[in-house]
Amino acid sequence: MSAQKKRNFQIEAFKHRVVVDPKYAEKTWTILEHAIREIYNHNASGLSFEELYRNAYNMVLHKFGEKLYSGLVRTMTYHLMEISKSIEAAQGELFLEELNRKWAEHNKALQMIRDILMYMDRTFIPSTHKTPVHELGLNLWRDVVIHSSKTQSRLLDTLLELVLRERNGDVINRGLMRNIIKMLMDLGSYVYQEDFEKHFLEVSADFYRCESQEFIESCDCGNYLKKAERRLNEEMERVSHYLDAKSEAKITSVVEKEMIESHMNRLVHMESSGLVNMLVDDKYEDLGRMYNLFRRVQNGLVIVRDVMTAYIRDTGKHLVTDPERLRDPVDFVQRLLDMKDKYDKIISLAFNNDKTFQNALNSSFEYFINLNARSPEFISLFVDDKLRKGLRGVSEEDVEVVLDKVMMLFRYLQEKDVFEKYYKQHLAKRLLSGKTVSDDAERSLIVKLKTECGYQFTSKLEGMFTDMKTSQDTMHGFYTAVGPQLGDSPTLTVQVLTTGSWPTQPSVTCNLPAEIMWVCEKFKSYYLGTHTGRRLSWQTNMGTADLKTTFGKGQKHELNVSTYQMCVLMLFNNADQLTYKEIEQATDIPATELKRCLQSLACVKGKNVLRKEPMSKDIVEDDTFFFNDKFTSKFFKVKIGTVVAQRESEPENLETRQRVEEDRKPQIEAAIVRIMKSRRVLDHNNIVAEVTKQLQARFLPNPVVIKKRIESLIEREFLERDKTDRKLYRYLA
Amino acid sequence: MPKLSQKKCQWNVQPATKEYSAQLPSHPNPRNLQYPPKQTPVEELYRRYKDPHEEMIMAEGMSRLCTDLDVDPQDIVMLVMSWHMKAATMCEFSKQEFFNGLKALKIDSIEKFRSALPSMRSELKDKDKFKEVYNFTFDWAKEKGQKSLQLDTAIGMWQLLFAEMTPKWPYVDQWCEFLEERHKLAIPKDTWNQLLDFVRNVDPSLSNFDEERAWPCLVDDFVDYLKEKGLVQTT
C-alpha cells in the first residue's frame, strides 16, 4: 500500500443542476396561482404550506420576483372582482352582512397568502419598493370592492341610514356596524374619513339642525336642555360602540354647535323658562345642566354669566332703591344677605363653584350696594340689631357665621369710613345703655374689622371698650372711698369716656335736679382728685335713669328713662301740672330734644306717665302737662328711654355726610403729601391715581376734591406747579 | 489835607484857624446847610413826588406824577411802569424802586418819561412781556400780608389786562360775571397764573378743553358754567 497523500478536502457547494427551464417560472407560478384560487375557494386545507412557500422562495431566488408579484396582483384582483360582484348582488339587509363576511374571508386569505409569500415580502418587495403583500391586499380590497361604483355609495347610504334609524329609536345591529367601520379604519384613516366620517358628520349636522329647530319651537328651556344632553350622551355612546374613538370629539362638536351654540341666546332668554326664571326658582338641576352644556361651547358660559350678572345687578338695584325697603334697615340688610346666600348656593350646586361666576357675583354686589349712599349706615344698624337682641341665645359658631356674613357685606362697601362713623355711634349707644347681647360677639367683630382694615380702624373702638372697663373700676373705687358719705342719695353709675375715642357730641345744656347734681359733684371731686389735669363734662344727652314711681292708686312702677326724661319727671315731684314753657325754663333742655322727650312721655300708648292737654300728637309751646295718676302697666319695670340707635332722619344724615366729607379732606391731603414726598415730581393724573389707590380701603376719593386739595397745598406752599409743564407738580421740602 | 501850622502862626490859635479855613477846598461843606446840595435829575424828580413824611411816593404823589405825565392813573401803562420799577404794591413806589426803575428805563426828566410811555404801552404786545406783566400784577395788586388777591381787585385787573390783549378773549365779561355770581372768594396765585394759560391755549368753542389737563378747579367750574348757561361759542 502506498502512503496516502494528505489532501485538503474541499467541501464544495452543493450545486443544483442549473435549470434554465424557461417554463420553470411559469410552472411554479401556476402552482401558486392555483393555490391562491383554492384559498379563495375555501379549499386551503388541501394545500401544503411548505411546498408553496418553497415555490415562492424559488421564484424570488431565481429572479422571478417580478413575475410572482404581478401575478399576485392579477390573481387577487380577479378574485376580488368576483367577490365584489357577489356583494353588489346582495339584496337589502344582506348587503352589509355579505360585505362583512367576505371581508373576514379576505383577511384570512390574505394572511395565508402573505405567509406563503413571506420571502418575497421580506426581500424582493423592500428592494423594489413595492407595496407589501398585506397592504396590497387591503388596497386592492379598497379599490376593487369598496370603491366599486355601486358599492361605494351603497355602503355609505346603508351606514348612514342605520345611524338615522338608531337615532330615531330603532335598535340596529351594532356588532355588524362595528365590524364594517373597523374595516374602513383598517383600510386607512383616510378611507374612514373620506368614505364615512366626513359624510356622517355632515348628515348629523343636518339632522341635529332640524331637530334642534323643532325642539326649540316646542320645548321650554329646561326640557330642551334635557334633550340636548340626551343626544350628546347618545352620540358619545355610539362612538364608543362602533365608531373610531377619534370621531367622538368631532361628533360632539357637531351636536354642541347645532343644538347649543346656534340657539344659545334664544335658550338663555326664553320667556318663562330661560336662565332668569331658573335663577328665580332655584332650579339647580336645570341650571347645572345648562352650565355643563354651555361650557362646551365657545362663549357659552360668557352668555350665561353676563345674563346672570345683569339680572343680579338689576334686582340688587331695585332692592336698594326701593323706598319701601329703605324704611327698615335691618330688613334691608337681611334681604341683601338672603340674596347673597341664594346665589352662593346656585354657584356652588349648579355652577361648579366656578370662580368667574363668583367674581361676577361679587362685582355685582359691589356695584349695587354702593348705589345707595345709606348702605354703610344700614349695615351698621343691622349689626346693632343683632348685637342688641338678634343674637341672644345663639350659639358661638352661629354668631360667627352671622358676623362673617356682615364682614362680607362690609367688604363690598366703597365708603368704609362712613360705616366706621356709624358703627362708632351705634357701638357707643350699645355700650352706654348696657344693651349688648354678648361682649364676646362685640369683640369678635372688632377683631374681624381689624384684620380687614388694619389697626387704625379699630383702635378707637377698642378705646371705647377700655373706657367701659375702667369706668367700672372707677365706680368701685368711688363707692369704696366716698360711699358712706352719700347716704340716701340716688345711686350713681358713671361711665367716663375719653374724648377722642367716642363719637363727638355737641355739648348740650340741661339742668339736673338738685339731688342728682349733688352726687354728681361728689363723683367729680373724687375723680379729679385721683386724676389731675383732666376735665370732665357731663353728657346729659346720653344717660339713663331708673325712677321708682308711685301713681294715684298706689301702683308702683320702676321707670327706665333717659336723663332728659328724668329731669322732666322730677319736676312733677313739686308740681301737679306744668306748661311747656315752665318745663323748658326749668330744665334748659334744647327745644327739639325737649319736644321729643315730652312726646315719648305723654303721647305713646302704654308709656304715658304724663298727660297732655290738648291731646294732640305734636308738642307745641302752649301745651300743659299733668302727672298721669291713672297710669297703668302690666309690667313693674317700664322702659321709656329713647337711647336706641335708629336710622337717621334726612337732616341728620346730611350732617353726618358733611362731617365725613370734612374728615376726608385731611386724609386726602396726607396721602398727596406722602406720595409727593417720595416721588418728588409727579403729574396730575398719576397723583389722582395714586391717591385713589392709597385710600381705596376706606373710601373712593372724588377726583375734583383731590384737585381742590392739591390747589390748597399749592397755596400753602407744600407743592408747586412746574413752570413749563402745567400738569406736573413738584414737592417743596 | 490842610496842615495846621502852629509854627507859622506862632502858636496863635486865631490866625491858625483862619489859615486852616483858607486852606480848605472850595466846594461847600456838606454840613453847611446854607447851600442846598445840587441834586441829580432823578433825585429832583423823586423829590417832586415823594410823600412829605415817608421815603416813598404814595397816592398823592402818584396822582401828581400821572398829571405831569399827562396820563390817566387807571391807564395800563402805569402797570407796565410799576413792573419796570419792580414795585411791591400798587399805588406806591419806594425810593429804591423809583430810582432803580428810572435808571433801568434811562429816564431822568419828565419829558423823557412822557415820551417813554408809548413804547412801554407797546411792550404789552409782546407775548412774553405780557405774561411777565400779567404774573407780576398778582403780587402787586394784592394787599400786603395777604396770600390771595381780593376778588374785586382781581376782576378790575383782569378787565384792564384783557382789554389790552390781542387776540381778544371773548369770555372776559362772562368770567367776571361767573366770579361774582358763583365764586365770591379771593383768588389764589396759582389760579391767577393758570388763567392766562387757559385764555391763550383753549379755543372759544372749548373743543380742546381737556379735563385731564389739570386746570384749576375754578376754571373747570367756569367751563361748566358756560355750558350750563349755553354761552359756549361755536366757532
Side-chain angles (χ1 to χ4, degrees), chain A residues 684-685 704 707-708 711 714-717 721-723 725-727 729, chain B residues 147-148 188 190-191 194 197 211-218 220-221:
Chain A
H684 185 88
N685 289 345
V704 174
K707 198 197 257 193
K708 279 214 158 72
E711 280 182 15
I714 290 177
E715 220 183 303
R716 287 181 278 152
E717 293 174 19
R721 221 184 265 266
D722 184 87
K723 300 272 184 300
D725 181 358
R726 215 170 14 77
K727 277 193 306 173
Y729 300 104
Chain B
K147 261 204 170 146
S148 300
D190 183 63
T191 307
Q194 293 300 310
D197 240 348
E211 290 206 346
E212 303 287 307
R213 281 172 63 75
W215 294 108
C217 287
L218 195 57
D220 287 338
D221 291 343

Side-chain angles (χ1 to χ4, degrees), chain B residues 3 24 42 79 107 117 122 134 136 140 145 148 153 158-159 163 181 189 198 202-203 209 218 220-221:
Chain B
K3 286 189 235 180
L24 285 173
V42 175
L79 173 55
I107 292 174
L117 295 182
S122 68
Y134 176 87
F136 162 82
W140 177 79
S148 300
T153 318
W158 268 320
Q159 282 169 337
E181 214 179 297
K189 187 167 171 77
F198 176 78
V202 176
D203 74 69
F209 175 74
L218 195 57
D220 287 338
D221 291 343

Side-chain angles (χ1 to χ4, degrees), chain A residues 642-658:
Chain A
T642 51
V643 199
V644 170
Q646 23 175 246
R647 127 188 220 291
E648 279 183 334
S649 62
E650 284 305 318
E652 284 174 323
N653 188 254
L654 220 60
E655 210 194 300
T656 310
R657 269 268 137 213
Q658 277 171 350

Side-chain angles (χ1 to χ4, degrees), chain A residues 335-349:
Chain A
R335 277 170 195 267
L336 289 176
L337 291 177
D338 291 342
M339 192 169 158
K340 182 74 176 26
D341 279 343
K342 175 192 169 85
Y343 285 100
D344 277 342
K345 196 166 170 194
I346 288 177
I347 291 177
S348 140
L349 289 181

